[in-house]
Amino acid sequence: VTRGDGTFLTYTQSRDLDEENGSSSSYCLRNAEGEILKKYFPFENENLGQWGLFSPFWKEEDQIYLVCPLNFTIFRFEDGEMEPWMQVDFGAASADFGKIKEEGEIDFDDLREGGTKVLKMDYLIHTGEYLAFSFFVDGETKFVIFDKDRETLYYSDVLYENGVLPKCQLQAFRNGRFLALVEPLDLIEFSKSYPHSGFEMKKPSESDNPYVLTFALAN
């Protein structure tokens, strides 16, 4: 992620190992020459650094956010420091991070096959009106949207079950509308189940590319 002052934040799967104390970090602040100026979120056990694979960067205008691996705390980058901004609690769907940290090992396949634990968050949307993000659980990507003015939470599963939206992946917010991607098969299933949904679209084909869906929350 490039910053306005000529520095940029980077993520590396190899995790820059700190030979001095044996810890490793997935995130680094670098200068234009690629030299490391500062490291963030060091792991005492290098194996745990793999968790950073599930922690993306988000950039909203001039503000940069990222998620601290292992506890889903969203940090905001301020003046070279990572300031805690918000922690997301997935309740029973949260992985046992305390146990993972204690054991120093992560069995990603076991967590994935279990199907009920949140493995990653992505696509943070933060505006004056809304806070929204996507997350991966139960083998698929889901999302929540919080309407700040009405203090109302919209959960993707509920929107799907009530025929408001086809299954989709939230991507962005532009000009007062949310943007999402819809796989052709999901759009076909939606059009069969809700033929009078009011969506204006051609008859989808399995061979189509994902559709771009735009929608706004009703007043």
Side-chain angles (χ1 to χ4, degrees):
V1 177
T2 304
R3 304 181 64 239
D5 61 358
T7 63
F8 51 97
L9 287 168
T10 63
Y11 166 78
T12 173
Q13 292 186 25
S14 62
R15 302 178 303 281
D16 295 283
L17 185 63
D18 188 333
E19 301 292 347
E20 184 175 335
N21 57 29
S23 65
S24 59
S25 301
S26 294
Y27 299 99
C28 297
L29 177 67
R30 299 174 185 266
N31 61 20
E33 286 71 42
E35 299 171 332
I36 297 176
L37 304 177
K38 196 165 187 177
K39 299 179 181 181
Y40 303 95
F41 306 143
F43 290 93
E44 295 177 1
N45 186 310
E46 186 180 359
N47 292 330
L48 295 182
Q50 299 175 62
W51 199 263
L53 289 168
F54 299 132
S55 302
F57 290 108
W58 295 306
K59 188 171 183 179
E60 295 289 329
E61 297 179 350
D62 295 328
Q63 191 64 66
I64 299 172
Y65 302 86
L66 57 84
V67 174
C68 179
L70 298 180
N71 65 7
F72 291 128
T73 297
I74 300 176
F75 280 74
R76 186 161 49 190
F77 191 84
E78 294 280 1
D79 298 324
E81 300 295 334
M82 294 296 179
E83 300 291 340
W85 182 63
M86 182 180 71
Q87 184 170 21
V88 180
D89 184 357
F90 291 101
S94 297
D96 189 343
F97 299 125
K99 181 179 179 181
I100 291 172
K101 195 169 184 179
E102 181 180 345
E103 295 179 351
E105 295 288 344
I106 300 173
D107 190 332
F108 293 104
D109 291 334
D110 183 60
L111 285 173
R112 190 178 295 110
E113 290 171 5
T116 59
K117 301 301 182 182
V118 177
L119 294 182
K120 67 176 182 176
M121 293 173 56
D122 51 19
Y123 290 110
L124 176 75
I125 296 170
H126 179 225
T127 72
E129 300 173 273
Y130 304 108
L131 173 65
F133 57 84
S134 300
F135 56 96
F136 186 82
V137 68
D138 295 333
E140 60 185 23
T141 300
K142 304 183 182 185
F143 64 84
V144 294
I145 299 174
F146 179 65
D147 185 323
K148 298 177 184 178
D149 293 335
R150 286 173 283 189
E151 297 186 349
T152 303
L153 190 70
Y154 299 88
Y155 179 40
S156 57
D157 277 9
V158 176
L159 298 175
Y160 303 156
E161 291 167 4
N162 288 287
V164 178
L165 293 173
K167 285 187 177 181
C168 57
Q169 295 185 20
L170 198 64
Q171 298 287 312
F173 182 84
R174 294 288 184 273
N175 301 321
R177 300 183 69 85
F178 290 94
L179 279 69
L181 294 180
V182 187
E183 294 296 332
L185 290 177
D186 291 326
L187 196 55
I188 290 172
E189 182 62 32
F190 180 78
S191 62
K192 289 179 180 177
S193 301
Y194 304 98
H196 305 295
S197 64
F199 277 67
E200 296 182 4
M201 58 187 178
K202 69 173 186 177
K203 185 177 180 180
S205 167
E206 293 184 22
S207 62
D208 289 344
N209 290 322
Y211 285 74
V212 177
L213 169 70
T214 68
F215 65 92
L217 298 179
N219 295 323

